[in-house]
Amino acid sequence: MGKGEEEIQPLNPEDGLIDIAAGADSPKSKSPRHGHSKSKEVASAVTSSWVSRRFLSGCAVLFPLVVTVYVTWWFLTFFDNFFSPVYEALFGFHVFGLGFVTSMAFIFCTGVFVSSWLGSLLLQVGEWIIKKLPLVKHIYSAAKQVSAAVNPANETTQSFRECVLIRHPRNGEFAFGFITGQTLLQDVHGDVQLFSVYVPTNHIYVGDVFLLGKQDIIKVNLSVREGLEIVVSVGMALPQNLMSIQR
């Protein structure tokens, strides 16, 4: 080998791999775009969370208003459609609300009429006819039991008397119930007074009936209306404090 020629050193493959790996891990090789993308992800998550919370807050505010408006509008149009076609056929025009007012007046006059002896007699005759029909009598009987609970003129109705608590379904758990009546259990060891307690399991008119003694019933400072609100609102209307009272 001549003096003018430089000596070529053989390349070590392992040295090259080490240099490449070191260059990949060096701070200079890290791109600033990585940190920028992280910031965008955090900002996007915060914005999405804020938007979702505000959207749910809007739904929570508007939902009861929309339901109230919808039910009220349905109620008005339902009763308005009874007599509005009559006015439209007689006078040739339609006034929204006139049929509703007429329906309310008709319901009021019906209540006044059935309170008289003649109306009561005609009602009994109509019920006798309905009870002779095979299928209609069951529908009418169920509907009458529901309406009897809200009829102030019916003194013999077994409506909700008190809102109470009972230990159900096992010891340590409590359930809201409504006293609907009472009976006397005659036994050889003595008479036992039992109260009929209705416990709703699915809304108001679906539930279980228990016969309990007075010692198994916890009377609280809740009216029937407040108890119904708790059941209908699935417990969200529950007051912060309940007080057991003696009556």
Side-chain angles (χ1 to χ4, degrees), residues 112-129:
V112 174
F113 178 71
V114 297
S115 299
S116 62
W117 67 271
L118 179 60
S120 178
L121 179 62
L122 292 178
L123 181 62
Q124 291 178 3
V125 173
E127 288 183 346
W128 181 82
I129 297 174

Side-chain angles (χ1 to χ4, degrees), residues 43 59 63 66 77 96 121 133 148 160 174-176 201 242-243:
C59 291
F63 179 75
V66 171
T77 53
F96 179 77
L121 179 62
L133 301 178
F160 297 155
F174 299 89
F176 284 100
T201 57
L242 288 178
M243 183 181 300

Side-chain angles (χ1 to χ4, degrees), residues 62-184:
L62 292 178
F63 179 75
L65 297 177
V66 171
V67 171
T68 302
V69 172
Y70 176 79
V71 173
T72 304
W73 180 261
W74 177 86
F75 186 79
L76 289 173
T77 53
F78 178 79
F79 284 98
D80 187 69
N81 291 333
F82 279 106
F83 290 95
S84 290
V86 177
Y87 289 117
E88 190 171 357
L90 293 177
F91 303 106
F93 62 90
H94 173 71
V95 178
F96 179 77
L98 186 59
F100 172 76
V101 175
T102 306
S103 300
M104 295 298 102
F106 176 76
I107 294 174
F108 174 77
C109 293
T110 302
V112 174
F113 178 71
V114 297
S115 299
S116 62
W117 67 271
L118 179 60
S120 178
L121 179 62
L122 292 178
L123 181 62
Q124 291 178 3
V125 173
E127 288 183 346
W128 181 82
I129 297 174
I130 291 176
K131 291 180 179 179
K132 296 299 181 181
L133 301 178
L135 179 62
V136 179
K137 63 180 181 179
H138 300 291
I139 301 175
Y140 180 79
S141 177
K144 186 177 180 181
Q145 290 177 1
V146 174
S147 64
V150 297
N151 186 4
N154 191 0
E155 297 178 355
T156 60
T157 181
Q158 296 295 321
S159 59
F160 297 155
R161 299 180 181 180
E162 296 181 60
C163 178
V164 297
L165 288 178
I166 66 171
R167 291 178 174 86
H168 177 76
R170 53 181 177 267
N171 192 19
E173 297 184 7
F174 299 89
F176 284 100
F178 301 92
I179 295 179
T180 57
Q182 63 185 51
T183 185
L184 193 64

Side-chain angles (χ1 to χ4, degrees), residues 14-71:
E14 295 182 357
D15 295 338
L17 293 176
I18 294 174
D19 293 338
I20 294 174
D25 293 337
S26 62
K28 293 181 180 180
S29 64
K30 291 185 179 180
S31 175
R33 296 181 180 179
H34 181 70
H36 183 64
S37 62
K38 282 289 186 180
S39 301
K40 289 180 63 176
E41 291 178 1
V42 173
S44 176
V46 172
T47 304
S48 177
S49 177
W50 183 85
V51 171
S52 62
R53 287 199 304 268
R54 294 300 177 268
F55 181 81
L56 292 177
S57 299
C59 291
V61 173
L62 292 178
F63 179 75
L65 297 177
V66 171
V67 171
T68 302
V69 172
Y70 176 79
V71 173

